[in-house]
Amino acid sequence: MAKILFVMTGVDYWTLADGTKHPTGYWAEEFAAPYEAFKAAGHEVVVATPGAVVPPVDAGSLAPAVNGGPEGAEQIAETLRKASELTTPIRLEDVDLADYDAVYYPGGHGPMEDLAVNADSGRLLTAALASGKPLGVVCHGPAALLATADADGKSSFAGYRVAAFSNAEETQAGFADKAKWLLQDRLIALGVDYREGEPWAPHVEVDRNLYTGQNPASSAPLAAELLKAL
């Protein structure tokens, strides 16, 4: 049995370019699909957030429209209800990578607000990459990679193939013209080898021990790849 650390956002808003706070959090499917896969395989999940706050779910990610209908929405909601790990997170600041076999970052717009500038998360990501342990990051989760840049703007993730939420998807979601910055642009500026798939279609990139997915639909395939690695 492996022990898998889920590093999650601790905020329920995303500050837009005009200063307004868009309600958000983590995206339900990006927690639920991997969580179900890992638990079904007999693995242990531990959730960590900045300050050990209970991670807030993006209410929009619970809607039937983004979960294949009412049945899918209820299934996701039930997974969140029964996932006791969500209500008992540990402090991200206290995480010891040695205690875990793999690390996983779900997305949602929340990480764009807090994990993108969280030094503890940045150190953990850098250490996880260097450790060779499987490291999975999906959708807006790769915003956390921005916190791995050193004083000169250099990151150990530079040159790695990375999938993440695309400018095209952000445009279709209606946020591209409202955001302070776009994830695809910032990742390219960080020096990663950004790889873009079709909007909303599953797209996973595996480069050494780094496993990344483009969007919510990529979270289940990403979990399957992580399970193979474990």
Side-chain angles (χ1 to χ4, degrees), residues 7 27 31 38 61-62 79 90 102 115-116 124 126-127 143 147 152 154 157 161 181 206-207 214 223 227:
V7 180
W27 197 259
F31 170 85
F38 297 149
S61 69
L62 299 173
T79 296
I90 64 170
L115 298 181
L124 175 65
T126 300
D152 298 320
K154 292 191 165 49
F157 286 85
R161 286 195 315 278
W181 47 269
V206 180
D207 189 347
Q214 182 169 319
L227 281 172

Side-chain angles (χ1 to χ4, degrees), residues 14-23 174-181:
W14 173 37
T15 307
L16 301 176
D18 65 359
T20 59
K21 291 184 174 180
H22 172 69
F175 288 112
D177 57 347
K178 300 173 185 172
K180 285 183 183 177
W181 47 269

Side-chain angles (χ1 to χ4, degrees), residues 59-85:
S61 69
L62 299 173
V66 295
N67 289 296
E71 193 178 320
E74 176 50 38
Q75 202 173 353
I76 290 260
E78 176 61 23
T79 296
L80 301 191
R81 279 195 293 271
K82 75 181 185 191
S84 58
E85 296 90 346

Side-chain angles (χ1 to χ4, degrees), residues 129-161:
L129 190 69
S131 74
K133 295 177 180 182
L135 171 60
V137 198
V138 75
C139 198
H140 288 93
L145 302 187
L146 302 177
T148 66
D150 64 16
D152 298 320
K154 292 191 165 49
S155 167
S156 53
F157 286 85
Y160 276 77
R161 286 195 315 278

